[in-house]
Amino acid sequence: MTASGTFGFGEEYEDFIDISALGGIVVKGTTLHHREGNPYPRMAETASGMLNAVGLQNKGVDYFVENIYPRIKHYDTGIFVNVSGSTIEEYVQTAEKLNDLEKIPGIELNISCPNVKEGGMSFGVHCPSAIAVTSAVRDVYKGHLMVKLSPNVTDVTEMARGVEGAGADSISLINTLLGMAINAEKRRPLLSTITGGLSGPCIKPVALRMVWQVYNAVKIPIIGMGGIMNATDAIEFMLAGSTAIQVGTANFIDPTISVKIIEGIKEYMQRHNITDVNSLIGGMLID
Amino acid sequence: MKKRVELFTVTRNRRINNEYIVLYAKPDGKLPDIAPGEFVEIKVENGPNTFLRRPISIHEVNKDSNEMLLLIQEVGEGTRLMVDLQPGDKLDLIYPLGNSFTVPKRGKMLLVGGGVGVAPLLILGRRLREEGAEVNFLLGARNREILMDLTDYKQYGPIGVTTEDGSAGVKGFVTDHPLLKERLKDMDRVYTCGPDAMMRAVATAAKGAGIACEVSLENMMACGFGACLCCVVETKSGNKNTCTEGPVFNIEDLKGW
Ligand SMILES: Cc1cc2nc3c(=O)[nH]c(=O)nc-3n(C[C@H](O)[C@H](O)[C@H](O)COP(=O)(O)OP(=O)(O)OC[C@H]3O[C@@H](n4cnc5c(N)ncnc54)[C@H](O)[C@@H]3O)c2cc1C
Ligand SMILES: Cc1cc2nc3c(=O)[nH]c(=O)nc-3n(C[C@H](O)[C@H](O)[C@H](O)COP(=O)(O)O)c2cc1C
Ligand code: FES
């Protein structure tokens, strides 16, 4: 699958690859209302990665349903919508509007958003809020409910167990790590928001560790991501416990990487005489 | 034009001065049509210090030799590696990206470039002349040593030059040149590419004279093809991607210009 916020609505990649060749795509973060996002600059390159502060720029869920969905529903792949909000009601209302879309098998709940009613602390770093938003959406949403965890927590397994108990069908992780960059010459921050989300290969070891921990804590499937650049990285995530994987930042450097990763996984399976890809899930050997 | 990822082979590295080179490179197949203002995203090495691709304007294309020309100024690690490329080396490009400058069939055009911003003005000058418009260049540099080689530009029209220290042409910024100070009202359209402060000054002058002005923005980009929303510029109709809805904008559409 491709990761939210890095793959647009799939259309941006149509010149490069056949979208239907992918296992699934997660489209851009969608909120109840239109959002302009954060001011420029929103991006800074860092060692083996990048910081972003896009701030969920999107035209709102109604626009998605009326204008974008009809354009992309012909993709023969699982289209997941990444749902964000600043209150539980916003998440619920956004999810409800996605219920009846035939070609959307599920939503990915992005709980790494500030909860404005709870002092702006992210839903994803406060276990009771994460549980509350998951169960509220579960009550109204009929399709597959994937909950995307934030890595900016002390104990990711507590969050994972919480959302599993609240009715999540699967867990995806990790979202970006909170980071920051400064231009020393100018003594200025590189992002308009000062801090932003770190992604790319620099976060891979953290992501792998969290996938492994969550794999040992819950029973529902895990969709792993964080710095996957090639098929070997993807296989490592499966060995750590991922049932599926998402590719994010790597798409920017090679817009054809997602299909290459699928080919690379097949090649790895042949080389290791593996016939069932599921045998890789959590298949790390420990002596 | 369909965007693609393609491996080019460097055919020549032409040193212009201490900071600039022109890189000539060609694909295995035939180069597609390129419009002035379009750019490429170069994968430098995707190493720890040059993780993302680097956006570079298309300086010119030579249909006969099937070569694309890129004017590169060394400013950091990524451009340093590009400046070191030698014939035979491979260049991994995503192209053609972005929109392009308007190319009308007639009228008096002023093309204002500062620093490495002169890059897209060469292909633009040629295209304007091919269509039948009149081309005037105004090119600014810090000093004589890093002024662009003007030979190629000369074929398309007269060139005004400014340097900050007065070592060549008129001393000062492009806005100190008579072309912008006095003769702007004779022009039908102004195109500009270069440092932000320069483009804003040119835009202000064009606005004052009531002349259409197109600017080519160099916002920070992560993808270059509309997927990340990192490169936005504020316009009168909301945020727009510099990489897909730009880099060329009419100043009338931009907020705060
Ligand atoms: C549409 C567009 C066209 C461009 N055309 C040319 C061109 O024809 N010739 C040329 O020499 N340069 C051009 N640039 C600028 C060029 O992309 C940067 O100089 C280059 O990315 C710097 O990389 P670096 O690794 O050498 O420097 P770094 O060490 O990464 O950075 C040095 C400085 O370069 C600037 N910069 C870095 N990354 C970017 C980026 N992704 N986008 C814009 N600026 C950046 C920053 O201000 C930074 O402080 C263009 C930029 C854009 C957006
Ligand atoms: C530019 C950018 C925008 C993103 N936008 C979203 C978003 O809207 N919703 C979300 O859940 N995650 C978003 N993410 C996070 C990614 O989906 C992914 O979790 C993260 O980047 C880690 O994976 P990677 O290292 O492969 O990129 C964004 C990441 C980037 C780089
Ligand atoms: S650079 Fe990614 S959208 Fe423009």
Side-chain angles (χ1 to χ4, degrees):
Chain A
M1 302 181 78
T2 54
S4 176
T6 67
F7 208 70
F9 293 104
E11 295 174 305
E12 293 78 357
Y13 288 81
E14 272 180 12
D15 278 0
F16 305 109
I17 55 168
D18 173 13
I19 309 298
S20 301
L22 302 175
I25 66 173
V26 185
V27 301
K28 239 183 288 219
T30 301
T31 48
L32 188 58
H33 304 294
H34 169 101
R35 281 177 60 114
E36 272 301 294
N38 292 321
Y40 178 86
R42 295 175 169 187
M43 188 281 284
E45 192 183 54
T46 57
S48 295
M50 61 175 278
L51 287 164
N52 90 80
V54 172
L56 294 171
Q57 178 182 326
N58 79 100
K59 294 199 162 126
V61 66
D62 289 334
Y63 185 88
F64 173 80
V65 172
E66 283 153 32
N67 298 286
I68 298 168
Y69 175 69
R71 291 204 310 256
I72 64 172
K73 66 176 187 201
H74 68 277
Y75 293 149
D76 184 16
T77 189
I79 306 169
F80 286 73
V81 179
N82 181 268
V83 172
S84 300
S86 35
T87 61
I88 291 181
E89 297 73 55
E90 279 182 27
Y91 277 99
V92 168
Q93 288 174 36
T94 309
E96 275 180 321
K97 288 174 190 270
L98 296 165
N99 251 333
D100 300 326
L101 304 182
E102 195 193 326
K103 294 298 293 291
I104 308 283
I107 58 174
E108 178 181 60
L109 218 55
N110 173 12
I111 58 172
S112 303
C113 308
N115 179 348
V116 293
K117 287 203 180 142
E118 299 282 339
M121 201 212 279
S122 159
F123 287 96
V125 302
H126 183 230
C127 208
S129 315
I131 291 173
V133 69
T134 306
S135 44
V137 172
R138 178 74 290 170
D139 285 345
V140 300
Y141 187 68
K142 305 187 204 100
H144 184 100
L145 178 60
M146 186 189 299
V147 179
K148 183 167 181 180
L149 299 185
S150 164
N152 304 312
V153 292
T154 320
D155 182 4
V156 72
T157 60
E158 185 193 345
M159 296 305 229
R161 283 194 206 94
V163 302
E164 180 184 44
D169 294 312
S170 65
I171 288 174
S172 58
L173 78 162
I174 62 174
N175 211 317
T176 52
L177 275 157
L178 194 61
M180 141 175 186
I182 302 176
N183 179 330
E185 291 304 316
K186 296 184 180 156
R187 295 173 64 168
R188 293 260 182 311
L190 287 176
L191 297 175
S192 67
T193 48
I194 305 179
T195 60
L198 186 64
S199 65
C202 58
I203 69 169
K204 194 184 103 180
V206 176
L208 265 180
R209 181 264 293 177
M210 290 192 163
V211 166
W212 172 244
Q213 288 179 320
V214 171
Y215 177 67
N216 288 297
V218 300
K219 294 197 176 60
I220 52 178
I222 296 166
I223 298 92
M225 80 192 93
I228 296 178
M229 298 297 287
N230 51 47
T232 310
D233 291 341
I235 288 157
E236 290 171 21
F237 273 82
M238 298 190 70
L239 294 173
S242 307
T243 296
I245 60 104
Q246 288 182 19
V247 181
T249 307
N251 291 302
F252 301 156
I253 293 127
D254 182 356
T256 68
I257 194 67
S258 49
V259 289
K260 286 183 187 157
I261 289 177
I262 296 173
E263 286 311 308
I265 294 174
K266 286 186 194 153
E267 189 271 329
Y268 173 91
M269 288 174 58
Q270 272 170 6
R271 202 153 37 83
H272 288 264
N273 280 320
I274 297 166
T275 45
D276 181 10
V277 69
N278 291 315
S279 66
L280 289 175
I281 303 166
M284 177 173 67
L285 304 172
I286 307 169
D287 297 326
Chain B
M1 186 58 58
K2 205 173 163 174
K3 299 174 198 114
R4 62 199 82 193
V5 191
E6 212 165 288
L7 216 52
F8 277 53
T9 307
V10 175
T11 48
R12 186 176 167 204
N13 178 332
R14 176 174 137 223
R15 176 57 69 182
I16 304 290
N17 55 45
N18 259 339
E19 291 178 17
Y20 295 8
I21 59 131
V22 176
L23 213 53
Y24 295 63
K26 60 172 161 196
D28 285 342
K30 197 169 159 290
L31 266 180
D33 285 334
I34 299 291
E38 289 179 337
F39 67 98
V40 301
E41 279 275 0
I42 305 186
K43 178 159 143 188
V44 189
E45 55 166 10
N46 187 222
N49 300 322
T50 52
F51 175 65
L52 296 167
R53 285 177 183 261
R54 299 293 191 258
I56 300 287
S57 303
I58 297 174
H59 180 43
E60 182 53 299
V61 279
N62 185 333
K63 283 236 151 171
D64 297 333
S65 64
N66 201 37
E67 284 171 311
M68 183 189 282
L69 279 66
L70 305 170
L71 173 66
I72 293 161
Q73 178 185 25
E74 186 177 334
V75 296
E77 179 76 5
T79 46
R80 187 181 63 68
L81 289 165
M82 288 181 218
V83 162
D84 286 344
L85 288 169
Q86 293 307 320
D89 287 346
K90 298 291 178 196
L91 203 57
D92 183 332
L93 303 181
I94 303 181
Y95 81 105
L97 300 171
N99 68 353
S100 53
F101 292 106
T102 323
V103 183
K105 295 205 180 301
R106 61 181 65 84
K108 284 186 165 182
M109 308 299 162
L110 179 61
L111 283 58
V112 187
V116 78
V118 302
L121 302 187
L122 182 63
I123 179 169
L124 175 62
R126 173 171 62 79
R127 288 291 300 118
L128 285 168
R129 273 296 291 275
E130 282 171 0
E131 290 301 315
E134 186 189 310
V135 172
N136 299 274
F137 292 106
L138 173 53
L139 308 179
R142 268 195 331 272
N143 57 51
R144 187 190 184 85
E145 274 68 51
I146 64 152
L147 182 67
M148 183 58 193
D149 179 355
L150 304 177
T151 323
D152 294 336
Y153 292 82
K154 272 185 192 140
Q155 328 166 51
Y156 308 123
I159 307 176
V161 167
T162 63
T163 50
E164 286 170 36
D165 64 357
S167 53
V170 173
K171 182 173 161 89
F173 298 109
V174 286
T175 37
D176 296 317
H177 196 281
L179 268 170
L180 271 181
K181 273 174 76 174
E182 293 145 30
R183 289 167 47 203
L184 188 57
K185 54 186 184 311
D186 304 336
M187 302 293 165
D188 295 305
R189 189 177 283 270
V190 181
Y191 303 89
T192 182
C193 182
D196 195 67
M198 183 208 84
M199 289 196 287
R200 283 179 187 273
V202 173
T204 305
K207 227 174 196 171
I211 291 160
C213 178
E214 291 178 17
V215 298
S216 179
L217 302 182
E218 292 198 353
N219 282 12
M220 296 290 285
M221 296 181 179
C223 71
F225 47 85
C228 72
L229 307 187
C230 286
C231 63
V232 290
V233 57
E234 260 191 282
T235 73
K236 287 175 185 156
S237 47
N239 281 334
K240 285 193 172 167
N241 288 344
T242 305
C243 68
T244 49
E245 294 162 287
V248 179
F249 290 94
N250 190 311
I251 56 164
E252 289 303 320
D253 298 333
L254 295 176
K255 233 181 182 172
W257 278 70

